[in-house]
Amino acid sequence: MSEETDSRRDYGEFVATLLTRKPSLSRRLQEVAQYLLNNPEDAAIFTIVEIARRAGVPPSAITRFAKELGFDGFAGLQAMFKQRLLGPRMSYADRLRAVNREVASATGPHEPGDPRDPHQVAETFIQAAFDALLRLREDIAGAALTPFVDALQEAKAVHIAAARGAFGVGSYTYYGLSRIGKRAFLLDNLGSMRAEQLAAMDADDALLVVTFDDYTPETVELARNAHAAGRTVLAITDNELSPVAPLASHVLFVKEARLGHFRSQVPAMVLCQTLVMSLGYRMPEAAASPRGRKTP
C-alpha cells in the first residue's frame, strides 16, 4: 500500500478498526493507540522520533503499530493523519503549527522551561491550554452536544463520578448543576461509601462519568456497575478506546494537553461549563430565580 493510498484512508474507519483490534494489540501498541487518538495533530506534524518521545515508547513500537493496522509503515500512518488535519482545516493547521513553534521557542524541544522561573512555567501551561482549546473547538463542531444536554435534562437527578485529576472538573460540574437548580450528587466516596452512593441512584437518574487516561479504576467500576444496573451513563472522556465509552449512551471527547505528570483541565472545564449553561437556559427554576441567572 503506497503512502498516497494510505492518505486516502478514512480516519473514522481507522478508529473503528482500532476499536475492533484493540483486544489483540499488545500493551505497548495500545499505549501507542491511546497517544495517537489523544494527539492526532502530533501524528500529523512531528517526526516518528519526536512522537515516540512524547508517547514514552520506542520509535519501533510506532512502526509496528502502523504495520499492525495495515499501513506500509509510519509514513503511511502519518499521511492519513495529515489528510485528517489538512483537508478542510488548513487554517487550524496553520494556527496549530504557530502554537507548536511558540511552545518550542518558549520551552525548548524536550523539556519545559526552567521550573525555577514561574513565568516560564506559566507560559508553558498557557500555550498548552491554548493548543487544547483549539482542538476542542474542532472536536465539538461535530459532537452531539444537544443529545447530551437532552439526557441531562431528562434525568431526574445527575450523579457525578470523577476522581483524581478529573475531580476538580467533576466537583465544578456538581456546583454548576446545583446552581441552576438541577438535582446533582457528587460520588466522592466519603467514608468509603462509593457503592452505597451509587446504590442511591433511582431508575430515572443518570450517572455522569468524567475520566481520562490513565482511567481511574474506581470511576470505571462505577460506570460498569451503573450500566449493569440499567442506569443511564453519560461520559466525558478522551477517546474512543476509553473503557467508559462503550458503557455510555452519550459520550463527549476532550483531548487534554499533558505536560509531564500534569494535565490542563481547561478544555474539560470549558466543555462542562457549556453543558451546564446550555442546561441552565432550559431550566425554569434557573430562569425564574435571580440566583439561577448568574453565570456558574
Side-chain angles (χ1 to χ4, degrees):
M1 186 180 294
S2 68
E3 181 177 334
E4 180 180 357
T5 303
D6 284 335
S7 70
R8 294 173 184 166
R9 290 183 62 173
D10 180 74
Y11 179 76
E13 292 179 3
F14 164 75
V15 173
T17 301
L18 192 53
L19 287 170
T20 302
R21 296 288 307 279
K22 179 185 176 183
S24 66
L25 296 178
S26 67
R27 181 175 179 181
R28 178 71 80 184
L29 295 189
Q30 289 191 30
E31 291 175 356
V32 174
Q34 287 280 3
Y35 182 82
L36 293 178
L37 288 185
N38 283 343
N39 303 274
E41 292 80 18
D42 286 5
I45 295 174
F46 295 116
T47 65
I48 187 172
V49 174
E50 178 62 14
I51 293 172
R53 185 191 69 78
R54 291 171 178 244
V57 301
S60 60
I62 299 178
T63 300
R64 290 200 311 272
F65 173 83
K67 292 183 176 180
E68 187 75 20
L69 270 292
F71 296 91
D72 284 344
F74 171 72
L77 177 69
Q78 186 170 58
M80 182 200 65
F81 279 99
K82 284 181 178 179
Q83 182 60 33
R84 171 195 173 275
L85 180 64
L86 297 178
R89 305 179 182 181
M90 182 63 75
S91 61
Y92 171 63
D94 291 341
R95 283 179 288 159
L96 185 61
R97 288 193 185 96
V99 170
N100 285 324
R101 284 195 297 269
E102 291 178 21
V103 171
S105 63
T107 67
H110 298 297
E111 299 295 335
D114 185 352
R116 295 166 298 183
D117 183 354
H119 293 92
Q120 285 290 331
V121 174
E123 179 66 19
T124 300
F125 276 98
I126 290 169
Q127 293 293 349
F130 180 59
D131 181 356
L133 284 174
L134 285 176
R135 288 192 288 182
L136 178 64
R137 171 184 283 174
E138 292 291 314
D139 289 343
I140 66 172
L145 292 178
T146 299
F148 203 101
V149 177
D150 290 342
L152 289 173
Q153 184 178 16
E154 292 167 4
K156 180 180 177 183
V158 179
H159 301 251
I160 303 167
R164 300 185 187 176
F167 181 76
V169 177
S171 59
Y172 171 81
T173 304
Y174 162 71
Y175 163 77
L177 291 175
S178 300
R179 289 283 290 177
I180 64 172
K182 185 69 180 182
R183 291 185 66 225
F185 302 92
L186 183 62
L187 305 185
D188 55 9
N189 196 35
L190 184 63
S192 298
M193 297 184 68
R194 182 185 298 107
E196 288 77 8
Q197 290 178 324
L198 180 64
M201 282 186 65
D202 288 336
D204 49 2
D205 291 351
L207 176 68
L208 174 60
V209 178
V210 185
T211 187
F212 308 99
D213 182 35
D214 318 304
Y215 314 102
T216 306
E218 295 81 2
T219 301
V220 176
E221 180 184 3
L222 284 171
R224 287 174 177 158
N225 291 341
H227 180 264
R231 301 295 186 261
T232 298
V233 178
L234 309 173
I236 296 175
T237 188
D238 48 8
N239 64 64
E240 292 84 350
L241 296 184
S242 168
V244 301
L247 305 172
S249 56
H250 299 284
V251 187
L252 293 175
F253 297 112
V254 177
K255 296 176 177 63
E256 295 193 314
R258 184 165 184 167
L259 297 170
H261 295 292
F262 295 92
R263 288 186 178 89
S264 171
Q265 296 187 353
V266 172
M269 192 69 77
V270 168
L271 178 59
C272 287
Q273 285 180 314
T274 299
L275 297 173
V276 169
M277 289 300 297
S278 297
L279 180 61
Y281 286 122
R282 301 183 181 190
M283 299 285 292
E285 296 88 347
S289 168
R291 188 180 103 173
R293 285 196 294 268
K294 294 181 179 178
T295 301

